Amino acid sequence: MDIARRRLRLSDSHISVLGLLAEEGRLPQELATAKRELVTAGIIDGEDKIVAELYPLVSTLMVPRVIAQVELSGPRGTTRSGAVVGDDFLFTHENWPGDTESEYVPAEPGTLVWGLARMVGLHRDLTAETDSAEEITTTMGAFNRVVERMEASALDEPQAMAGDAGAPPRLVEVLAQLNCMWRMTVVWHGSARLPADGNPAVSGLAVWDCGLEGYWLRELPAEPVADGRVNSESVLRVRRTSAEQLWRMITDLLPSGDELRAAKT
């Protein structure tokens, strides 16, 4: 815990302990180690009380109004970051590949889009021009076969690899420049976009960052993707896009101020 900068490093187990203590719930044995770590760090005192400095974070996690999740997969593994917005506070959290702890940092609402864009490494386009009309359509099965061959260090020409995988050669060319894939999901309660069944509203997008080949938005399967809804026969369609367009898309994922006020009411 860095009190001076109001930031903390916490794992999911630590968050579970804090939530149970805040609700005066019983801690299961599997969380005993996480609790000891919090005591050692001075986050919990000897009477199982959470220190006052953690009130903003705990209160936000207990009653979130908006939850943004960012999953980024790259050569070193997958990271899971995001943001949690409460009535009075906003926190972002990020972790490194292979690290079980995330750094939680308070943020201002006006910086949220900047923070989410930074989590996915959004950068200026590396190409001089972007053809936003270019699309690639295939199947998830063909995509998986191309990825498997690339992971096996296959050195085939794009045309040969595409033929073996039953995929368009252009897909192979784009994936050969892949830096990472990321998904961003926003969940919240509101009025304008609230589903008829009363469940939280969910919006999301999935993107490929392909370096010199630019950014590609995965239009199909469209986010958010429910478990069990995608198979090898599912259509995969990606469209070339730009950093500027992605910035607007990230902004559009978030509820407006009026929607947030309606959700709070």
Side-chain angles (χ1 to χ4, degrees):
M1 178 170 60
D2 180 0
I3 296 177
R5 294 182 59 187
R6 298 182 296 156
R7 59 180 181 171
L8 304 97
R9 286 182 59 85
L10 299 168
S11 67
D12 289 346
S13 297
H14 295 146
I15 295 293
S16 297
V17 171
L18 294 174
L20 289 171
L21 290 179
E23 293 181 333
E24 299 183 350
R26 181 176 176 274
L27 291 180
Q29 184 59 36
E30 57 265 27
L31 293 177
T33 299
K35 178 187 173 183
R36 285 194 298 271
E37 292 171 344
L38 292 174
V39 172
T40 301
I43 294 174
I44 297 175
D45 63 21
E47 298 180 354
D48 288 351
K49 300 296 183 182
I50 302 173
V51 297
E53 288 82 1
L54 258 70
Y55 168 76
L57 175 60
V58 174
S59 64
T60 302
L61 292 175
M62 293 296 289
V63 189
R65 296 299 179 186
V66 180
I67 298 175
Q69 296 180 335
V70 176
E71 182 181 89
L72 187 148
S73 299
R76 296 294 182 89
T78 300
T79 59
R80 291 175 175 82
S81 306
V84 184
V85 182
D87 286 338
D88 302 306
F89 305 101
L90 185 161
F91 282 84
T92 62
H93 59 92
E94 299 182 61
N95 77 329
W96 284 62
D99 198 341
T100 60
E101 294 183 345
S102 297
E103 183 179 72
Y104 286 79
V105 181
E108 295 298 322
T111 67
L112 181 54
V113 176
W114 287 93
L116 293 174
R118 182 175 53 79
M119 290 175 195
V120 298
L122 191 65
H123 53 77
R124 279 185 251 173
D125 297 309
L126 300 177
T127 51
E129 294 185 12
T130 298
D131 179 8
S132 60
E134 184 179 6
E135 292 184 357
I136 301 174
T137 302
T138 183
T139 65
M140 289 301 300
F143 165 79
N144 289 332
R145 289 190 291 271
V146 170
V147 172
E148 288 171 0
R149 289 187 64 86
M150 288 184 168
E151 290 178 344
S153 300
L155 300 177
D156 297 343
E157 290 294 323
Q159 194 77 32
M161 185 181 295
D164 292 341
R170 184 66 176 131
L171 176 67
V172 179
E173 294 173 351
V174 169
L175 289 178
Q177 300 296 324
L178 181 67
N179 289 327
C180 66
M181 296 181 179
W182 54 265
R183 302 166 60 199
M184 188 176 296
T185 308
V186 177
V187 182
W188 59 286
H189 273 289
S191 57
R193 287 183 271 181
L194 190 65
D197 57 12
N199 290 322
V202 182
S203 56
L205 69 155
V207 176
W208 300 353
D209 179 350
C210 295
L212 294 176
E213 287 287 357
Y215 284 112
W216 293 77
L217 174 70
R218 195 190 73 207
E219 295 182 327
L220 292 176
E223 290 290 329
V225 177
D227 291 340
R229 297 294 298 273
V230 176
N231 56 42
S232 61
E233 301 302 319
S234 298
V235 175
L236 170 67
R237 186 176 73 219
V238 293
R239 176 175 59 82
R240 184 76 174 270
T241 187
S242 67
E244 181 181 357
Q245 291 170 324
L246 287 175
W247 178 273
R248 290 197 295 267
M249 292 177 195
I250 293 173
T251 303
D252 291 341
L253 287 183
L254 300 167
S256 66
D258 289 340
E259 290 171 320
L260 278 179
R261 283 188 287 274
K264 183 175 180 180
T265 302

